Amino acid sequence: MGFPGYRRSIRASLAYVGMAVATASALVVLQNGVAFAADAITVTPASGTAITVDEGNNTGSKLVGKFTDTGNAPQPDVNCEELYVATINWDDGSHSTGTVSCERDTSSDHVPTGIFDVTGAHVYTDSASHDITVSVVDNSESAESSGVAVKTDTALVNDVPLVEDFHNANRDGSPFVKVEGESLTVKVAFSDDTNAFPVTEGPSFDPGITATIDWGDGSAVQSVTPTDPPVDFCDSCFGDAYVSGTHVYDATKLPITHYSIKVTAKDDGGSTATDNLTVNVSDAKLTAVTPPKTFVAAAAQASSPVVASFKDAAGSQAKAADYTATIKWGDGTSSSGTATQTAAGAFNVSGTHTYSSAGTKSLTITVTDEEGQGQTLSMTATATVPVLPTTGQPKTPLAPSLPLLPLIVMALGLIAIAGGVGRTLIREGRP
């Protein structure tokens, strides 16, 4: 007959042995006769719903992946959320724990189907395209894992518009007012209308924003690295990209020149914003250096004296080639003068001339800058021309001489004495 109890004990032992072998790939026969494969958590590729969101905005709760577990037979009353830990890699350097839920059929009992959903929410701070990956670990003592994270979803993060938020120009729209040679500083804050900033570390704005300033005078466009706004610039600008630059304008061609300034910010996502400003630049003042020049020039000889000195408030922007000069030499003649730079904004005027006569000459020197629109400076100088001979060399004064008449009388006396001595010697017969 046999021993039923003994046979049941053997079958149970074989079942336990089969369960141990199941860690490889063998089928295990449970005591209730149900067969199942070894435990294996499998994340399903491309199982999420593609996400589209604007940078700085929350995606909201989205299905980002699915997985199955061959070691977990569906049970009607199992709390799936407590069975697993799902990790979502959002592909922007951040991870989060997803929410796991059981998919259930549509029957009245809503029995789990054996497929698990992973959902999560995230805020992307910058525009880009991202591949989302998911990995899963069993939360039980066995702690089996799905292994290397699997790409399950994609996210397309759109760039949001950049807008000018604040600038240091007049709020009524009137232009900056400057004189050539003065420095002009413009300050503009741009907001990219995103809720992702400010952040606690690094810049409080999107680091993908770059900026340029076109000063409108033909000079090279200036590249500027945005920074956080100064605390005293704008109360509401924290989190903006702050752009600042300084420029010095050269001489204008009219009494006042209007320059259009363009400050542009560009996000690496493609959006741009431009703040248009204007500046009125007027000509700088010319000032004579006193006292007036004095010099000595020889008549009938060419000389090239410095006849005047002046300064231009344009400073380092002023160049010798910016000026024309005319010298009236005080003898009825005039000629062009030459401006020579001696320091930043400082110049001498010189010219070449030959005076034909001696005397004191009063000169008038006129300097006009390149604009020719009223910035003309008149200066004076004095030349002393000494009396010179026709040879062109200075006269050498004669040495003091004795009176002529006493010399003649002395000479005649000597002659008379000599004559008397001669006659005496003849009478005496002396040779």
Side-chain angles (χ1 to χ4, degrees):
M1 291 179 52
F3 302 91
Y6 177 78
R7 288 195 297 270
R8 284 196 298 272
S9 176
I10 293 296
R11 285 197 298 271
S13 298
L14 290 175
Y16 289 129
V17 172
M19 291 177 67
V21 177
T23 56
S25 59
L27 292 178
V28 177
V29 179
L30 299 180
Q31 292 186 16
N32 59 10
V34 178
F36 65 93
D39 285 358
I41 298 175
T42 303
V43 177
T44 306
S47 53
T49 303
I51 298 171
T52 300
V53 66
D54 289 341
E55 60 180 350
N57 293 327
N58 197 303
T59 62
S61 182
K62 299 290 184 181
L63 172 67
V64 296
K66 296 175 181 287
F67 68 92
T68 58
D69 183 0
T70 56
N72 186 1
Q75 300 295 325
D77 299 323
V78 171
N79 187 350
C80 300
E81 290 79 0
E82 297 178 356
L83 296 177
Y84 302 95
V85 175
T87 301
I88 305 171
N89 183 341
W90 296 98
D91 193 33
D92 63 349
S94 60
H95 301 71
S96 66
T97 300
T99 299
V100 177
S101 60
C102 300
E103 288 191 5
R104 299 177 182 273
D105 62 26
T106 58
S107 67
S108 59
D109 295 331
H110 300 292
V111 177
T113 62
I115 299 174
F116 301 88
D117 292 341
V118 179
T119 57
H122 187 59
V123 175
Y124 286 101
T125 60
D126 201 5
S127 59
S129 184
H130 297 280
D131 291 335
I132 301 172
T133 59
V134 172
S135 60
V136 180
V137 175
D138 192 328
N139 201 28
S140 68
E141 293 182 357
S142 59
E144 68 264 27
S145 170
S146 63
V148 178
V150 177
K151 175 186 173 183
T152 58
D153 203 356
T154 59
L156 177 62
V157 185
N158 298 318
D159 197 21
V160 297
L162 278 170
V163 294
E164 181 272 318
D165 195 14
F166 193 79
H167 59 219
N168 68 325
N170 299 314
R171 304 314 294 178
D172 61 3
S174 59
F176 295 103
V177 176
K178 290 293 177 180
V179 175
E180 60 170 334
E182 290 183 338
S183 61
L184 169 65
T185 300
V186 297
K187 305 174 183 179
V188 184
F190 292 93
S191 170
D192 63 353
D193 196 27
T194 172
N195 298 321
F197 297 98
V199 295
T200 56
E201 297 181 1
S204 61
F205 57 90
D206 185 346
I209 297 175
T210 57
T212 59
I213 303 177
D214 184 346
W215 296 101
D217 60 352
S219 59
V221 174
Q222 180 180 354
S223 295
V224 180
T225 301
T227 61
D228 287 327
V231 294
D232 58 349
F233 176 63
C234 170
D235 293 338
S236 61
C237 293
F238 186 66
D240 285 0
Y242 172 75
V243 181
S244 178
T246 299
H247 187 65
V248 177
Y249 284 94
D250 199 353
T252 61
K253 297 299 181 182
L254 296 171
I256 295 178
T257 298
H258 305 275
Y259 290 110
S260 296
I261 305 169
K262 294 182 179 180
V263 184
T264 302
K266 184 176 182 179
D267 195 335
D268 54 5
S271 62
T272 61
T274 298
D275 193 16
N276 295 300
L277 307 171
T278 58
V279 57
N280 290 345
V281 181
S282 58
D283 195 15
K285 185 178 180 181
L286 304 180
T287 305
V289 175
T290 57
K293 299 292 184 183
T294 61
F295 61 93
V296 176
Q301 287 187 352
S303 61
S304 301
V306 173
V307 297
S309 297
F310 68 95
K311 291 184 177 180
D312 190 332
S316 61
Q317 294 298 95
K319 301 293 182 281
D322 295 344
Y323 311 98
T324 57
T326 301
I327 305 172
K328 293 183 179 180
W329 294 97
D331 60 357
T333 64
S334 63
S335 64
S336 296
T338 301
T340 304
Q341 189 165 7
T342 59
F347 302 87
N348 284 340
V349 179
S350 61
T352 300
H353 187 62
T354 300
Y355 285 103
S356 60
S357 62
T360 300
K361 314 296 182 180
S362 296
L363 290 73
T364 300
I365 303 95
T366 302
V367 175
T368 302
D369 66 10
E370 63 177 342
E371 292 76 33
Q373 47 79 29
Q375 283 295 353
T376 298
L377 181 64
S378 182
M379 296 172 284
T380 61
T382 302
T384 300
V385 184
V387 177
L388 299 175
T390 57
T391 61
Q393 300 299 323
K395 281 186 176 181
T396 302
L398 296 175
S401 58
L402 295 174
L404 183 59
L405 183 59
L407 290 174
I408 294 173
V409 172
M410 184 182 295
L412 290 175
L414 292 173
I415 293 172
I417 293 171
V421 172
R423 286 192 297 271
T424 301
L425 292 175
I426 292 173
R427 283 195 301 271
E428 292 178 356
R430 296 178 184 180

